[in-house]
Amino acid sequence: MDSNRTFAAPRRNVGDPDAAGEHALRGIEAARAADDPFALAICLTARGDAEESAGGRETARGLWVEASDTLRTMDARSRWAYRALRLAFLDVGEGDFDRADRRLAEVERIAAEVISYDLAHAGANLRAVVLAARSRSAEATTALQEVVDSATVPRHRRALAFLALTVCGSGGPVDEGRLAGARRETAGITEPLAREAVGRLLAEVAEWRRTAPGRRYPLHERLTRSPSVLAALC
């Protein structure tokens, strides 16, 4: 998991993105004054996370781009990749799948180079969302099943993969089993933001299956709606 996400987490955890954003803004000012690019990238990311949580997604994009550019100059590859993942998340929600594909290819390459299992699984989950949005459900299912079956996948990544498999399915006992897997994994998530975001998606998908049987939940469209589900995928 990207540890920088937790910079302003205490305030976001209690539903106060404004306070989280102000906390991060003070950090940005201090980092600029100290000419500390690493701290600046952390604080820009945290401010972007708070903006996204409050619905300010274009502002979040600008902050994440600046954080990404800063980290690229430092050759901080894995940290850069987590910012690219956030930007791909916005691309997917806006329907710009080609741009998301390009970013995710870079994320996947870096995950392989630095041997980051969390980053690799996060990229695979988001790529599966793109595949499903393009009506390539069989490919999405294959990618998601690999995440579910991995011995190294973090719990919140597996929970999201189970949930996305349910979205890609056609109903019936198999999908009920997947939904049960998502519930089981979600119950064990210890990181508050991820648990809240995955739990929110779980409740929405379960309700969708109850009220709109036979229709697939448009997961890609959910990414740029509020409340935020950023922590479920990034």
Side-chain angles (χ1 to χ4, degrees):
M1 182 184 299
D2 180 11
S3 60
N4 294 339
R5 192 178 74 204
T6 63
F7 178 84
R11 289 164 178 79
R12 289 178 62 206
N13 286 346
V14 297
D16 195 348
D18 290 337
E22 287 302 313
H23 184 59
L25 181 59
R26 290 194 296 272
I28 291 170
E29 293 167 350
R32 291 195 196 282
D35 193 23
D36 185 339
F38 185 71
L40 176 61
I42 291 174
C43 296
L44 286 166
T45 303
R47 174 76 176 182
D49 289 358
E51 287 286 348
E52 193 278 338
S53 182
R57 293 179 177 88
E58 281 310 303
T59 301
R61 181 185 289 277
L63 290 159
W64 291 339
V65 166
E66 185 178 354
S68 175
D69 291 345
T70 301
L71 290 165
R72 189 184 283 277
T73 64
M74 300 168 63
D75 197 30
R77 291 180 295 164
S78 64
R79 293 180 182 275
W80 175 88
Y82 277 106
R83 278 69 184 171
L85 193 67
R86 285 167 165 82
L87 292 167
F89 173 93
L90 292 181
D91 295 338
V92 174
E94 293 168 3
D96 194 343
F97 302 138
D98 289 341
R99 183 159 61 169
D101 272 339
R102 291 191 294 272
R103 293 194 204 276
L104 289 171
E106 283 290 287
V107 169
E108 291 159 353
R109 178 182 63 80
I110 290 171
E113 289 176 355
V114 302
I115 316 178
S116 171
Y117 297 118
D118 178 69
L119 186 58
H121 292 124
N125 277 345
L126 193 52
R127 182 172 290 286
V129 175
V130 174
L131 289 168
R134 286 175 158 163
S135 300
R136 294 162 60 181
S137 296
E139 293 171 73
T141 296
T142 298
L144 292 165
Q145 193 63 52
E146 289 178 358
V147 174
V148 165
D149 293 341
S150 172
T152 58
V153 63
R155 178 157 269 165
H156 65 297
R157 305 297 186 202
R158 181 179 281 121
L160 192 284
F162 266 129
L163 192 57
L165 279 168
T166 304
V167 171
C168 291
S170 55
V174 171
D175 287 337
E176 287 302 322
R178 290 165 171 169
L179 201 59
R183 290 192 182 101
R184 182 180 64 251
E185 295 297 326
T186 301
I189 297 173
T190 58
E191 202 278 307
L193 292 175
R195 185 176 63 246
E196 180 183 18
V198 176
R200 181 176 293 128
L201 280 175
L202 179 59
E204 290 178 10
V205 169
E207 179 64 12
W208 179 275
R209 285 168 56 81
R210 187 185 70 81
T211 58
R215 294 176 56 203
R216 286 183 175 168
Y217 180 81
L219 183 55
H220 65 287
E221 295 178 5
R222 177 60 181 83
L223 304 194
T224 48
R225 295 204 309 269
S226 296
S228 172
V229 294
L230 174 72
L233 285 127
C234 298

